[in-house]
Amino acid sequence: MYPELGFYDIPEYKRTKHVHRLHPYLGKFIPQLVEWFLSRYFKADDVILDPFMGSGTTLIQGNEMKMHTVGIDISPFNCLIAHIKAAKYDIAKARAEILEVEQRVTLFSKYLTNSSEADLTFFPENRMENLKASLLQECNSEYLRTWFAPRDLLMMLYYRRLIPHYQYQDLLRVVLSRSVRSSRLVPHYDLATPKAPLPVGKQYWCRKHNRFCMPLDNCITKIHTYSGDTVRRIAEFDKLRSNKTIAIIQADSRDVYLPAKLANTALANRPIDGIFTLPPYVGQIDYHDQHIYAYELFGFPRQDELEIGPKKNGKSKQAQQEYITGIVAVFKNLLPIVKSDGRIFVVANDRFHLYPEIARQSGLRIID
Ligand SMILES: C[S@@+](CC[C@H](N)C(=O)[O-])C[C@H]1O[C@@H](n2cnc3c(N)ncnc32)[C@H](O)[C@@H]1O
């Protein structure tokens, strides 16, 4: 009916423009899809809610269009990604911090690789051995010790240790997380759903690059790439953003009491004009697990058991029933604060044809 909604002619760099590519996230939609609907059905100053916020695409696009946005997600790391996209930065300061950390880790990396350029005055030998030992002592994650080469592990632990000394700590966490994701001991073509770690230095046939590759054992090249890329992206969004409110709430959308969460924001007592969301699909993705490396590195609390429709529960009839119950609970919880003529857009690959029943149980009418 709307062939343009395929967005086949939009090149990748536009689908991932500015902050939309600050961190990989499996299962997000593209800003152009959000823009298409928001521009037709809402206006500036409206309040748009996304109860399955994920990495925050709705929030960023809505803000660019001068709308207030509210996002809820159960996963603390997804909230962190959304938060660093939405945050307002002193760009010069953010750039200086990111580049200083990169420089310090580069020095450390040179020492670890015995480069002749290693600045031994900065890391005197005896101090260095103590530093390495104490970094390893701080790592009690079996996952990190298994999925990263020993040198890589030391570098990420060193970067992590530097973070508390800076103002933009979450931004630094995201640069680090993005870098370590790409430097796990996994094939380059399998970064989203790796099965098992490869041995350090083991060659494999790479379907992505069409040649033999080796898994990375040193995240410094990624840190270098993503440090510059992050600065460029936040600076780009800074020129486009509006001053409308962006509220990010880490909670279960089935039972969060939104008015209390918004009470101390500019959106207190404001009804919601509409919902635009991409819910999880039945048995498709484990949203915490896709960022397991970040949970292990930063120790964020996990709430996997509160995810609706996780992959680990499969796609059985029972899983579908639980999914219906979950999504209905979200609508029943949140509809009371949506305007009675508010519009709700749900981007769903409804292969099991569950949404007519979800709408019925939620007291909603499917228009299209
Ligand atoms: C398909 S993703 C949303 C992607 C998002 N539109 C984007 O562009 O990044 C679905 C999200 O729903 C979240 N989720 C799952 N169960 C939830 C629950 N009970 N409450 C709130 N969020 C939940 C997951 O953590 C995941 O981030």
Side-chain angles (χ1 to χ4, degrees):
M1 217 189 316
Y2 298 105
E4 70 270 33
L5 286 178
F7 296 106
Y8 300 114
D9 54 342
I10 305 221
E12 209 212 330
Y13 77 92
K14 285 194 179 159
R15 286 186 260 136
T16 55
K17 60 186 174 174
H18 54 79
V19 292
H20 293 291
R21 174 146 297 165
L22 272 187
H23 195 284
Y25 176 96
L26 186 64
K28 67 179 166 204
F29 48 28
I30 60 173
Q32 287 78 13
L33 179 72
V34 183
E35 183 182 17
W36 195 95
F37 284 95
L38 294 192
S39 63
R40 279 164 180 74
Y41 297 98
F42 298 98
K43 57 185 186 320
D45 221 38
D46 278 357
V47 185
I48 312 298
L49 169 66
D50 185 346
F52 300 106
M53 170 187 67
S55 62
T57 313
T58 304
L59 279 59
I60 298 301
Q61 183 58 42
N63 175 275
E64 242 188 80
M65 299 169 76
K66 301 186 174 50
M67 295 171 195
H68 301 282
T69 51
V70 181
I72 310 169
D73 204 284
I74 193 64
S75 145
F77 187 66
N78 296 353
C79 292
L80 180 82
I81 300 178
H83 163 69
I84 60 111
K85 289 178 175 179
K88 179 107 183 83
Y89 301 97
D90 171 342
I91 300 291
K93 173 132 207 224
R95 177 185 291 116
E97 290 199 351
I98 289 178
L99 298 186
E100 184 175 305
V101 175
E102 180 199 337
Q103 221 175 16
R104 291 176 72 176
V105 180
T106 303
L107 267 179
F108 184 62
S109 150
K110 282 185 177 154
Y111 177 92
L112 289 178
T113 46
N114 288 326
S115 155
S116 55
E117 293 166 57
D119 184 347
L120 295 179
T121 51
F122 200 77
F123 292 122
E125 193 115 13
N126 57 349
R127 227 191 84 203
M128 190 65 189
E129 287 314 309
N130 289 343
L131 173 60
K132 280 170 31 180
S134 73
L135 286 171
L136 289 175
Q137 240 172 24
E138 281 168 17
C139 174
N140 48 17
S141 161
E142 195 49 41
Y143 176 91
L144 294 182
R145 288 174 185 270
T146 313
W147 286 75
F148 293 90
R151 186 174 56 178
D152 207 8
L153 179 63
L154 280 168
M155 276 192 306
M156 70 177 79
L157 295 173
Y158 184 62
Y159 194 119
R160 182 178 75 174
R161 189 185 271 190
L162 296 177
I163 291 176
H165 300 286
Y166 292 89
Q167 179 183 338
Y168 291 126
Q169 298 182 11
D170 285 340
L171 193 60
L172 292 170
R173 282 188 188 101
V174 165
V175 173
L176 176 58
S177 168
R178 193 176 170 198
S179 309
V180 307
R181 177 183 182 273
S182 306
S183 64
R184 286 168 296 169
L185 292 166
V186 302
H188 298 144
Y189 56 80
D190 201 14
L191 289 175
T193 52
K195 317 287 172 294
L198 296 169
V200 181
K202 163 106 172 141
Q203 281 204 337
Y204 62 92
W205 179 252
C206 182
R207 296 202 295 266
K208 180 170 172 192
H209 300 115
N210 223 7
R211 58 178 157 81
F212 281 102
C213 284
M214 279 204 278
L216 285 186
D217 63 355
N218 185 338
C219 54
I220 197 65
T221 49
K222 297 292 174 191
I223 289 175
H224 177 67
T225 307
Y226 296 145
S227 294
D229 186 69
T230 299
V231 173
R232 184 177 62 73
R233 288 175 184 279
I234 58 170
E236 213 179 305
F237 180 54
D238 197 56
K239 293 195 194 101
L240 302 170
R241 63 177 305 135
S242 68
N243 61 1
K244 302 298 170 186
T245 302
I246 303 179
I248 293 169
I249 295 157
Q250 193 269 311
D252 186 338
S253 286
R254 289 170 291 197
D255 57 19
V256 61
Y257 183 54
L258 206 51
K261 296 283 184 188
L262 295 177
N264 295 324
T265 75
L267 301 180
N269 305 319
R270 287 268 321 249
I272 304 287
D273 292 280
I275 292 181
F276 194 86
T277 196
L278 169 64
Y281 298 162
V282 184
Q284 199 95 343
I285 295 174
D286 290 321
Y287 282 95
H288 283 73
D289 231 37
Q290 68 160 302
H291 301 301
I292 178 172
Y293 51 90
Y295 282 97
E296 293 287 327
L297 191 55
F298 300 120
F300 301 127
R302 291 181 62 152
Q303 299 203 288
D304 303 50
E305 70 290 352
L306 297 179
E307 277 182 30
I308 296 173
K311 182 174 180 184
K312 60 172 96 53
N313 287 4
K315 301 177 179 176
S316 63
K317 278 278 169 227
Q318 186 192 333
Q320 292 175 31
Q321 269 317 314
E322 286 168 6
Y323 179 84
I324 292 177
T325 307
I327 302 284
V328 169
V330 171
F331 283 132
K332 286 198 162 161
N333 180 36
L334 296 171
L335 285 178
I337 53 160
V338 177
K339 283 183 176 168
S340 56
D341 59 350
R343 293 190 186 242
I344 298 173
F345 296 90
V346 180
V347 181
N349 172 355
D350 194 16
R351 60 183 287 212
F352 299 117
H353 203 59
L354 307 179
Y355 274 83
E357 179 59 15
I358 287 172
R360 195 190 64 73
Q361 289 190 29
S362 308
L364 291 167
R365 186 166 56 89
I366 295 186
I367 297 173
D368 202 351

